[in-house]
Amino acid sequence: MSRIDESKEFIPVRIAVLTLSDSRTLAEDRSGQVLVDRLQAAGHVLADRKIMPDDRADIADQLRAWVADPDVDVVISTGGTGLTGRDVTVEAHRDVYEKEIEAFGTVFTIVSMKKIGTSAVQSRATGGVAGGTYLFALPGSPGACKDGWDEILAMQLDYRHLPCNFVEIMPRLDEHQRRK
């Protein structure tokens, strides 16, 4: 199955972390901190970190700003993926995606099922690509961020991961724009 090819050199990616919350401050942001701690421990670079309220247009604007920033390769958001009226992160992500990575949400659900059973159906984790940048939306709990990172993103954002990974195709994500 999957494995790390130790003969390949690790390639750090630049990751921005966005926490969506109407009530938390950066000091109280345990979920965002879980992601920051894990990405840095893995050898990646924290490109930026923000916390902002659950507003679809503002979230989409922030995602677009990071997509346009050449110093950001990946954006991971946490929060706002549930079913309540204020949960608009998934919609904001989809406003920005050029392509959705449908299997990301499916795999996240499989991982979650092992931890929280059928309650996993209430989470709408999603992933996609825009402007050569990967975008992932994880639920707002520290446990969900641990699961998303440890079980999916840590491997897919490691160039050495076999049989394939997101990093190895990064140079080709925006090839359609270069063919003109």
Side-chain angles (χ1 to χ4, degrees):
M1 213 147 128
S2 65
R3 64 183 175 87
I4 297 294
D5 181 349
E6 297 292 344
S7 70
K8 289 183 171 183
E9 187 174 333
F10 178 80
I11 299 174
V13 295
R14 299 162 297 190
I15 303 172
V17 174
L18 178 62
T19 299
L20 291 313
S21 174
D22 289 333
S23 59
R24 289 188 201 137
T25 65
L26 208 52
E28 302 164 331
D29 179 20
R30 295 186 314 127
S31 298
Q33 194 60 51
V34 162
L35 292 169
V36 169
D37 292 345
R38 279 171 157 66
L39 74 88
Q40 289 179 326
H44 298 294
V45 176
L46 178 64
D48 201 357
R49 180 179 181 188
K50 293 189 186 310
I51 189 165
M52 60 190 303
D54 297 293
D55 180 274
R56 181 176 176 170
D58 290 345
I59 295 166
D61 286 346
Q62 181 58 61
L63 295 174
R64 285 185 189 100
W66 277 332
V67 165
D69 186 339
D71 292 327
V72 176
D73 302 311
V74 177
V75 176
I76 307 172
S77 69
T78 175
T81 62
L83 302 173
T84 70
R86 295 291 295 154
D87 291 325
V88 296
T89 302
V90 174
E91 290 74 19
H93 270 253
R94 288 180 174 149
D95 289 344
V96 176
Y97 292 166
E98 293 168 4
K99 293 183 180 183
E100 188 164 356
I101 306 170
E102 290 90 351
F104 180 80
T106 303
V107 172
F108 185 84
T109 300
I110 292 167
V111 168
S112 294
M113 283 283 298
K114 295 175 187 173
K115 310 279 174 90
I116 61 171
T118 60
S119 295
V121 301
Q122 294 187 33
S123 172
R124 300 180 304 139
T126 187
V129 178
T133 302
Y134 287 109
L135 304 155
F136 302 100
L138 296 173
S141 74
C145 289
K146 289 174 188 176
D147 292 345
W149 180 267
D150 296 348
E151 303 291 332
I152 306 169
L153 294 174
M155 291 169 275
Q156 283 299 300
L157 295 177
D158 189 332
Y159 177 70
R160 305 166 301 164
H161 183 263
L162 298 176
C164 57
N165 59 76
F166 289 143
V167 178
E168 67 189 349
I169 61 173
M170 282 176 115
R172 296 178 42 220
L173 291 177
D174 61 356
E175 66 188 358
H176 63 287
Q177 296 170 341
R178 291 178 280 152
R179 288 188 186 158
K180 296 178 181 178

